[in-house]
Amino acid sequence: MAVAAGGRLRVFLERAATQFPAWRERAVVVLGNESADLDSIACALVHSHVLQQLSKDPACPIFPVVNAPRADMKLRTEALGALAAAGIDWSALLYVDDALGRMRELQKENKLSIVLVDHNQLAVSQADIATAVTAIVDHHKDTQSLPHARSWITDAGSCASMVARHAQDNGVPLEPAEALLLSYAIAADTGALSEYMGRARELDHAMAAALGALHGRSMEDLMADVMKWRQALGALSCAELLRKDYKKFVFPRPAGDVVVGMPSSSAPVAAMAAMPDFAESIDALCVQQGLGAVILMSLAGEPPARQMGVRVCDPRIDEARVLELLQASELGLVPLGVYAGVHVFDQQSIKHSRKVPSRTCAPSRWLRA
């Protein structure tokens, strides 16, 4: 059952989407990460609304931006489900392709301030706006790529917990729709605070309880919804599944950058490998994104299980060394076979996502001599 979106939130989101494309004055943009997952979207929407209520400068409004193309929103089934449950029209939101051009124009005029949520390093395609970043709220490891920005980076299972705590600490009451949206993000990121996922921290437990008092639903109930949406892949092609939750890591090298793409999917890697367009889709991703390697990760089923697929596309990379390092890591990889040049593994450690492979596969460790 959907929770009716509160009047203040609805008006706020509609104003942002309609005003920003033509906005020419000072502005603050709250920007989630490039994978635009549920946590990232929920944090961008709610944190921007909280900041607007705390602002003492009415001439400088706050605008939330979903960091994904509008056309790709159909791929984000978890976010679509949570937004609908919270009574929010996804089509009325502001997307990066609606906003990035205006953001760059405002930056050139020194009229833009950016607050990052759920990440602390801009995507490569957005690195030119880094000087406009003034604040960061994130639960990932600090890359220290934006030392000029005020940052709150802490060990939490979900960035949504941090957004909820910020509102609580500053006396900003959240509407039930906002509380529900943040709760869905906490459930998705921590497996409903489960021990087997090993991600939930004290802050997540405290904020889940506080938010639950506002909307009246349990973490387990919310997680059941998330799992339903996670598996609602419909007629998505393999290429669309690879774009659904995608991050790119760039490692600078004197002889040319090495780029690693890391898609995450709610369809098992082995199931994707059986799709007729799998080989073509992996090849296209490598070419389109200029990738040296693809590390495909999946979390699917109930109870959830992880798989990983590894494909090396750059002859400078020692594939055998990459596989050796990954299998020696804490991921607990068990080989399943090779499909279309992709080495597929069961991943025994369910709590680890992109952080371990991004740390393990530093180019200095796997480039050929």
Side-chain angles (χ1 to χ4, degrees):
M1 179 181 295
V3 172
R8 290 182 293 115
L9 177 62
R10 182 175 61 251
V11 170
F12 172 75
L13 295 175
E14 290 175 355
R15 173 196 60 77
T18 57
Q19 287 187 353
F20 189 73
W23 191 259
R24 296 186 179 278
E25 306 304 324
R26 291 182 302 114
V28 175
V29 165
V30 179
L31 183 68
N33 67 46
E34 65 178 319
S35 70
D37 58 8
L38 173 54
D39 193 30
S40 177
I41 293 173
C43 289
L45 300 186
V46 178
H47 192 55
S48 58
H49 192 210
V50 170
L51 291 179
Q52 186 68 74
Q53 293 173 77
L54 291 171
S55 175
K56 296 181 172 66
D57 188 356
C60 185
I62 320 289
F63 296 94
V65 173
V66 177
N67 200 355
R70 180 178 291 273
D72 279 0
M73 191 60 184
K74 69 174 184 177
L75 309 178
R76 290 158 171 83
T77 52
E78 294 170 45
L80 288 175
L83 289 169
I88 298 172
D89 179 4
W90 71 268
S91 67
L93 303 178
L94 184 63
Y95 292 86
V96 72
D97 47 346
D98 305 324
L100 192 55
R102 180 62 64 199
M103 289 168 65
R104 288 179 168 134
E105 291 176 6
L106 293 175
Q107 181 198 24
K108 290 177 182 178
E109 299 172 3
N110 293 317
K111 293 180 177 178
L112 178 67
S113 175
I114 300 174
V115 177
L116 298 185
V117 292
D118 201 28
H119 65 316
N120 61 78
Q121 182 175 23
L122 283 164
V124 176
S125 61
Q126 297 165 358
D128 59 308
I129 58 174
T131 56
V133 176
T134 57
I136 297 169
V137 179
D138 188 29
H139 66 128
H140 298 98
K141 182 180 179 181
D142 190 357
T143 63
Q144 300 183 344
S145 63
L146 299 165
H148 60 277
R150 291 181 294 105
S151 62
W152 177 29
I153 299 175
T154 194
D155 183 23
S158 173
C159 189
S161 300
M162 300 175 67
V163 168
R165 171 56 60 83
H166 177 264
Q168 184 183 80
D169 287 350
N170 286 276
V172 178
L174 296 176
E175 298 176 332
E178 294 173 306
L180 183 63
L181 195 57
L182 293 177
S183 292
Y184 272 125
I186 294 171
D189 271 15
T190 67
L193 308 175
S194 64
E195 291 186 10
Y196 68 82
M197 285 286 285
R199 290 186 178 178
R201 302 294 184 265
E202 183 179 347
L203 177 62
D204 302 297
H205 286 275
M207 291 301 99
L211 294 169
L214 296 175
H215 56 69
R217 297 182 62 186
S218 69
M219 276 281 116
E220 292 73 22
D221 187 25
L222 299 180
M223 191 63 199
D225 285 346
V226 169
M227 292 303 297
K228 177 181 66 178
W229 300 327
R230 189 171 282 170
Q231 302 304 321
L233 302 178
L236 294 184
S237 67
C238 186
E240 289 174 325
L241 288 171
L242 292 173
R243 293 204 325 269
K244 184 175 182 287
D245 183 355
Y246 174 81
K247 287 185 179 178
K248 181 163 63 175
F249 296 82
V250 178
F251 301 93
R253 303 290 293 175
D257 294 348
V258 177
V259 184
V260 179
M262 292 192 190
S264 180
S265 174
S266 50
V269 174
M272 291 180 65
M275 297 176 73
D277 60 340
F278 180 69
E280 177 185 353
S281 298
I282 290 288
D283 288 343
L285 183 70
C286 290
V287 172
Q288 292 165 5
Q289 297 288 324
L291 302 180
V294 178
I295 298 179
L296 171 59
M297 309 187 77
S298 66
L299 178 65
E302 185 56 45
R306 285 195 182 275
Q307 290 185 338
M308 175 180 287
V310 181
R311 163 77 181 277
V312 170
C313 325
D314 187 333
R316 293 178 297 169
I317 297 174
D318 186 337
E319 180 180 79
R321 180 61 174 156
V322 173
L323 297 175
E324 177 188 352
L325 289 168
L326 288 171
Q327 291 182 84
S329 73
E330 60 266 51
L331 293 170
L333 298 183
V334 177
L336 295 178
V338 182
Y339 306 84
V342 177
H343 296 260
V344 179
F345 303 87
D346 272 335
Q347 180 181 321
Q348 301 300 304
S349 178
I350 191 172
K351 69 179 181 178
H352 293 302
S353 56
R354 281 180 275 230
K355 296 177 184 177
V356 172
S358 65
R359 183 180 71 244
T360 301
C361 289
S364 60
R365 304 182 70 188
W366 42 250
L367 283 180
R368 298 184 190 276

